[in-house]
């Protein structure tokens, strides 16, 4: 084998390697292009869902701020009214006073389950 033959074989091998590298690069570029387009489509498709999630999170944050830092189920629901925290007015003199909790409403009646008169101290 002469030097010219060896040079031709080396050039042929180099050309084959170059062609293989170009084909691999083209394949990688096609994969990158298809992955980029699939990701773009997915982002556009999910944009509405993410927008609704963001709106909901902002609404919850606003309600949290309005509730003074107390994020409970009551603050998350839509309320049509506010809670009246004013103390009740004094009872009128002609109205009877409400019964005291733990005491029977009728003093003459015996209740087996009323232990409000016990001191619960051991003798």
């Amino acid at each position: 084998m002469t030097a010219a033959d060896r040079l031709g074989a080396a050039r042929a091998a180099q050309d084959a390697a170059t062609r293989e590298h170009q084909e691999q690069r083209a394949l990688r570029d096609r994969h990158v292009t298809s992955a980029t387009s699939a990701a773009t489509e997915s982002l556009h498709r999910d944009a509405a869902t993410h927008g609704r999630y963001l709106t909901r999170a902002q609404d919850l944050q606003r309600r949290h701020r309005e509730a003074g830092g107390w994020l409970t189920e009551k603050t998350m629901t839509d309320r049509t009214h506010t809670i009246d925290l004013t103390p009740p007015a004094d009872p009128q003199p002609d109205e009877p006073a409400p019964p005291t909790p733990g005491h029977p409403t009728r003093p003459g009646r015996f209740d087996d389950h009323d232990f409000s008169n016990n001191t619960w101290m051991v003798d």
Side-chain angles (χ1 to χ4, degrees):
M1 191 173 208
T2 65
D5 293 337
R6 286 188 301 202
L7 179 63
R11 283 186 178 168
Q14 185 178 10
D15 289 340
T18 302
R19 190 172 43 253
E20 183 180 350
H21 286 281
Q22 288 174 347
E23 291 172 357
Q24 287 178 354
R25 174 172 277 176
L27 182 63
R28 276 195 310 267
D29 289 344
R30 279 196 306 268
H31 283 212
V32 166
T33 303
S34 66
T36 303
S37 65
T40 303
E41 290 173 11
S42 175
L43 285 176
H44 287 298
R45 189 174 54 243
D46 294 341
T49 304
H50 296 302
R52 286 192 307 269
Y53 175 77
L54 182 61
T55 303
R56 176 71 176 149
Q58 289 170 344
D59 185 45
L60 286 175
Q61 185 178 16
R62 177 189 55 82
R63 290 181 184 187
H64 180 72
R65 263 193 325 264
E66 288 174 358
W70 295 95
L71 189 60
T72 62
E73 190 67 31
K74 290 283 188 186
T75 63
M76 289 186 219
T77 59
D78 290 329
R79 295 181 295 204
T80 58
H81 66 282
T82 58
I83 299 173
D84 183 22
L85 298 177
T86 58
D90 291 332
Q92 299 299 326
D94 57 335
E95 293 180 7
T100 314
H103 295 288
T105 56
R106 292 184 225 159
R109 187 170 178 191
F110 180 74
D111 185 9
D112 284 340
H113 301 287
D114 181 23
F115 298 107
S116 61
N117 59 349
N118 289 350
T119 60
W120 298 105
M121 299 294 287
V122 177
D123 291 331

